[in-house]
Amino acid sequence: MKLKSHLIFTLYTIYGILLKGISGQYPLVQNVTVTEGGIANLTCRVEFNDNTSLQWSNPAQQTLFFGDKKALRDNRIELVRATSSELTISISDVTLSDEGMYTCSLFTMPVRTAKAYLTVLGVPEKPEIDGLTKPAMEGDHITLTCITQGSKPAADLRWFRNEKEVKGAKEVNASGKTFTVRSSLQLQVDRNDDGVAYTCRVDHVALTQAPQQATEVLEVHYAPRVEITHSLEVPQEGQYLKLECVSKGNPSPDPVMWTKDGSELPDLDRMIVEGRELTFTSLNKTDNGTYRCEASNHLGTSSAQYVLYVYDAPTTLPPPTTPPLHPITPDPTALLGSHASDPTVTGNRDPNALGQHGTDHALIGGVVAVVVFVTLCLIIVLGRYLARHKGTYLTNEAKGADDAPDADTAIINAEGNHAHAEEKKEYFI
Ligand SMILES: *[C@@H]1O[C@H](CO)[C@@H](O)[C@H](O)[C@H]1NC(C)=O
Ligand SMILES: *[C@@H]1O[C@H](CO)[C@@H](O)[C@H](O)[C@H]1NC(C)=O
Ligand SMILES: *[C@@H]1O[C@H](CO)[C@@H](O)[C@H](O)[C@H]1NC(C)=O
Ligand SMILES: *[C@@H]1O[C@H](CO)[C@@H](O)[C@H](O)[C@H]1NC(C)=O
Ligand SMILES: *[C@@H]1O[C@H](CO)[C@@H](O)[C@H](O)[C@H]1NC(C)=O
Ligand SMILES: *[C@@H]1O[C@H](CO)[C@@H](O)[C@H](O)[C@H]1NC(C)=O
């Protein structure tokens, strides 16, 4: 019984070894992935081969090579190596139609085969950006669309606004074996978009080097925006003052125009206009008024105004220690009125606000003065009251103590009357 089973086991082992030896005679292949236009090597190996022939055939079951013999007329297909244990062929200039299952056959009895799948990657075309109106007007809604064709598998499209990624809406359509990928971006442009670069980038496995991308720079036209800057906060008579009309617009606004109180600037040597700058070499009270500058391009006109109020020269100003009860300002309502009449003003700066502050300061100054005065009075009254009490305290308790040589004597002295204290003083000295 035991011997029989051992025999069977030995037989099985021998059979196994034999089987393994025979089964070593089978073809081995690997799947291949290649980018369109590249070269694909198809290799078929047999570990243990007698001189049995190997053959490669294409997905259409046509024989490509039988051993080292070429069977199909296609000069893209070449023999790389043919030995008894290997048959390698190459397909150059691979196209998407080359994709499919290739078969390596080993002509044993029966024939043994192995299948290798050739995957061809479709290279996405350079993306194109559509939908850009150049120039766009501020406030326009535009939709930028980026399209790339020919990718396989479908490519990924990403949008960047000046290097920073923004989210687009992607859509993928199959067209034959490849894919058309489209991504769109909806924008409402404003002046901050002027000169901004939008880039559409294609990411794909077949793009091993730099990713493909397209960039468009937005050009946004907008009406000018005007603002007046001034070199002095409190213009005083005799001082130098420079007003600058800062205007920004696309296209660049025409040269700015200055007016005073609605009419041309007075022709004075002290008043110099140079480009966007208006300079007063020495301010005079007669320069008081509303100065306006205006800039325009074909999209619109914008203006800003500055109310000049020339204060007295520094020497004639009242000393700062006594805050004036009436601030030195013009009638604020009149100035406010002039503002309200001009809705286009965007960057208006005038001393009117300063005048209002002057009023506030005067009020605050007055209140502070009153508070300080009351506090002082309180301190004085309190001081006097305390002083009086301290005085009595001293007379009652410490008069004798002053003259006492020690604490005990001091207490005795304090309890005694003044006359005694005087006597004791003399005595102790
Ligand atoms: C294909 O085989 C040839 C010859 O062995 C080799 O030079 C080439 O690099 C191989 N190509 C690929 C894509 O493996
Ligand atoms: C294969 O064929 C060659 C000659 O074509 C011969 O020399 C060799 O011995 C053969 N090998 C086997 C394993 O039959
Ligand atoms: C080769 O590709 C085929 C088809 O895509 C797949 O079924 C098979 O599992 C792949 N074989 C290997 C070894 O990757
Ligand atoms: C994809 O197909 C849909 C419907 O067939 C069509 O409306 C759309 O325009 C196509 N998109 C692309 C990117 O071709
Ligand atoms: C201001 O102008 C008036 C008249 O134009 C002139 O009389 C006066 O001296 C000027 N004041 C100063 C401080 O220049
Ligand atoms: C200009 O303002 C000053 C206040 O500093 C005032 O005294 C003067 O009368 C004003 N001049 C004109 C022409 O309004």
Side-chain angles (χ1 to χ4, degrees), residues 108-335:
T108 46
M109 273 299 222
V111 176
R112 290 196 167 97
T113 61
K115 291 184 185 296
Y117 196 84
L118 174 65
T119 304
V120 182
L121 301 176
V123 183
E125 285 170 14
K126 192 171 162 55
E128 273 174 27
I129 297 177
D130 270 351
L132 191 68
T133 40
K134 240 179 178 179
M137 300 299 145
E138 186 170 38
D140 278 1
H141 287 271
I142 62 173
T143 302
L144 296 181
T145 306
C146 179
I147 302 179
T148 179
Q149 293 180 317
S151 59
K152 178 179 165 298
D156 193 20
L157 287 183
R158 293 163 74 187
W159 282 102
F160 295 86
R161 181 189 195 272
N162 277 349
E163 320 283 309
K164 192 174 174 291
E165 185 159 8
V166 286
K167 202 104 193 95
K170 201 169 87 172
E171 185 188 356
V172 179
N173 278 15
S175 53
K177 290 189 169 202
T178 63
F179 297 90
T180 297
V181 185
R182 183 196 299 247
S183 179
S184 46
L185 204 59
Q186 293 194 348
L187 310 167
Q188 184 179 11
V189 297
D190 64 22
R191 57 189 61 210
N192 297 320
D193 289 313
D194 189 38
V196 166
Y198 277 91
T199 299
C200 170
R201 197 175 92 186
V202 185
D203 285 335
H204 194 262
V205 275
L207 300 171
T208 44
Q209 294 101 9
Q212 294 262 49
Q213 61 182 46
T215 298
E216 287 286 355
V217 176
L218 295 195
E219 191 188 336
V220 181
H221 277 186
Y222 52 95
R225 189 170 286 177
V226 184
E227 193 182 315
I228 296 176
T229 63
H230 49 97
S231 65
L232 288 177
E233 286 303 329
V234 186
Q236 291 168 346
E237 206 164 33
Q239 282 184 322
Y240 169 94
L241 173 68
K242 186 163 90 181
L243 300 180
E244 191 179 349
C245 185
V246 184
S247 63
K248 249 188 111 178
N250 189 17
S252 263
D254 303 330
V256 300
M257 215 180 76
W258 286 99
T259 52
K260 182 190 177 188
D261 298 325
S263 42
E264 273 186 43
L265 288 181
D267 188 21
L268 293 172
D269 290 343
R270 297 183 290 106
M271 233 181 256
I272 303 159
V273 175
E274 233 182 282
R276 18 185 107 249
E277 290 176 4
L278 168 58
T279 308
F280 300 84
T281 52
S282 171
L283 286 171
N284 189 304
K285 286 190 179 185
T286 56
D287 296 333
N288 287 4
T290 301
Y291 291 82
R292 180 191 293 273
C293 83
E294 199 176 88
S296 56
N297 61 16
H298 72 272
L299 290 169
T301 300
S302 179
S303 66
Q305 66 180 35
Y306 174 84
V307 179
L308 177 63
Y309 182 83
V310 181
Y311 289 83
D312 288 328
T315 45
T316 57
L317 272 178
T321 41
T322 53
L325 284 175
H326 303 287
I328 344 165
T329 51
D331 179 10
T333 51
L335 289 170

Side-chain angles (χ1 to χ4, degrees), residues 39 41 80-81:
I39 300 171
N41 283 355
V80 175
R81 197 173 299 114

